[in-house]
Amino acid sequence: AQRVTQPEKLLSVFKGAPVELKCNYSYSGSPELFWYVQYSRQRLQLLLRHISRESIKGFTADLNKGETSFHLKKPFAQEEDSAMYYCALRNAGNMLTFGGGTRLMVKP
Amino acid sequence: NAGVTQTPKFRILKIGQSMTLQCTQDMNHNYMYWYRQDPGMGLKLIYYSVGAGITDKGEVPNGYNVSRSTTEDFPLRLELAAPSQTSVYFCASSPVRSGPSYEQYFGPGTRLTVT
């Protein structure tokens, strides 16, 4: 069975500090991983996907198959980054499995 | 484009009542999904559909039913509401099955309380 684990429910940092939101997964096949974000009073939306190897809003995430991790990083956090972040894994059946989410609070 | 819309936004049900959560998308997406999110937990897939007339169970289908008579609409039916169904329900859609542009688009959610 596949599983996505986000060990931190809350991460609080000061503006300008580096951020790393952790995501670990278990999956027997070739994983396809995503980060979704939900800002206050907005709907859940895609932030980035590992397959694109892109940087969005200064965030990057690298898939580490050896450590089965897909951590989300940003070198300098901004107050507008405060949100709920969800890591998700897509399996061969086109299902998304979500982690429990991490609330990021960026303090001024 | 309104994207994915859901109604109602909030609802309180008594145990044993029934209701239908509505979901509509105007993006002509073939794939649609229903998730539930319990407090402090991730989203869990209830049902999904790969096109009009085709539905299948997800991870937590018990107590729910769906139908997909059109591409646009994907209603979720609760027949005998139970307190365990208190949750936030999200509908989502996607245009493609896989590939570099794969993405699910979410509705705003319906907050349901069963007492």
Side-chain angles (χ1 to χ4, degrees):
Chain A
Q2 61 194 66
R3 180 179 294 177
V4 177
T5 303
Q6 294 179 248
E8 302 140 329
K9 286 196 182 298
L10 173 66
L11 185 62
S12 182
V13 301
F14 285 102
K15 176 182 171 182
V19 170
E20 182 178 53
L21 288 83
K22 291 184 167 49
C23 172
N24 290 94
Y25 67 90
S26 63
Y27 181 55
S28 56
S30 182
E32 190 173 338
L33 286 143
F34 305 83
W35 278 99
Y36 278 79
V37 60
Q38 187 170 26
Y39 300 102
S40 179
R41 295 188 174 81
Q42 295 187 27
R43 59 187 68 191
L44 194 62
Q45 60 188 284
L46 178 68
L47 178 63
L48 57 79
R49 49 174 80 86
H50 96 266
I51 197 170
S52 301
R53 302 185 65 82
E54 56 203 343
S55 173
I56 303 292
K57 298 184 178 182
F59 284 98
T60 59
D62 290 319
L63 178 61
N64 186 324
K65 292 186 179 181
E67 295 184 358
T68 60
S69 68
F70 187 56
H71 303 328
L72 183 68
K73 300 177 184 179
K74 185 169 182 176
F76 307 104
Q78 303 298 314
E79 289 181 69
E80 56 265 31
D81 296 328
S82 296
M84 280 295 296
Y85 291 81
Y86 296 93
C87 183
L89 182 151
R90 190 181 78 90
N91 67 12
N94 202 35
M95 308 287 189
L96 280 183
T97 298
F98 286 85
T102 297
R103 179 171 296 282
L104 175 64
M105 291 179 57
V106 182
K107 297 176 286 188
Chain B
N1 276 356
V4 180
T5 57
Q6 292 182 238
T7 56
K9 287 185 171 19
F10 305 95
R11 183 73 185 267
I12 299 175
L13 280 183
K14 294 190 184 307
I15 294 171
Q17 286 186 320
S18 301
M19 77 163 295
T20 298
L21 283 68
Q22 301 292 346
C23 174
T24 300
Q25 53 92 8
D26 61 359
M27 299 174 281
N28 202 34
H29 288 173
N30 283 327
Y31 299 89
M32 296 188 74
Y33 314 85
W34 273 107
Y35 295 91
R36 60 176 286 173
Q37 184 180 31
D38 299 331
M41 308 290 287
L43 284 72
K44 293 188 185 299
L45 184 65
I46 305 172
Y47 270 94
Y48 68 101
S49 170
V50 301
I54 306 170
T55 63
D56 209 345
K57 295 177 181 179
E59 185 182 358
V60 289
N62 291 346
Y64 307 94
N65 278 300
V66 293
S67 58
R68 185 95 182 270
S69 56
T70 66
T71 298
E72 295 78 20
D73 300 307
F74 189 41
L76 178 73
R77 177 85 178 159
L78 283 72
E79 288 296 347
L80 291 169
S84 60
Q85 293 178 304
T86 293
S87 192
V88 181
Y89 291 83
F90 292 99
C91 180
S93 70
S94 67
V96 295
R97 180 178 176 84
S98 62
S101 62
Y102 180 81
E103 177 178 352
Q104 289 190 15
Y105 296 83
F106 284 81
T110 294
R111 187 175 296 276
L112 176 67
T113 302
V114 182
T115 61

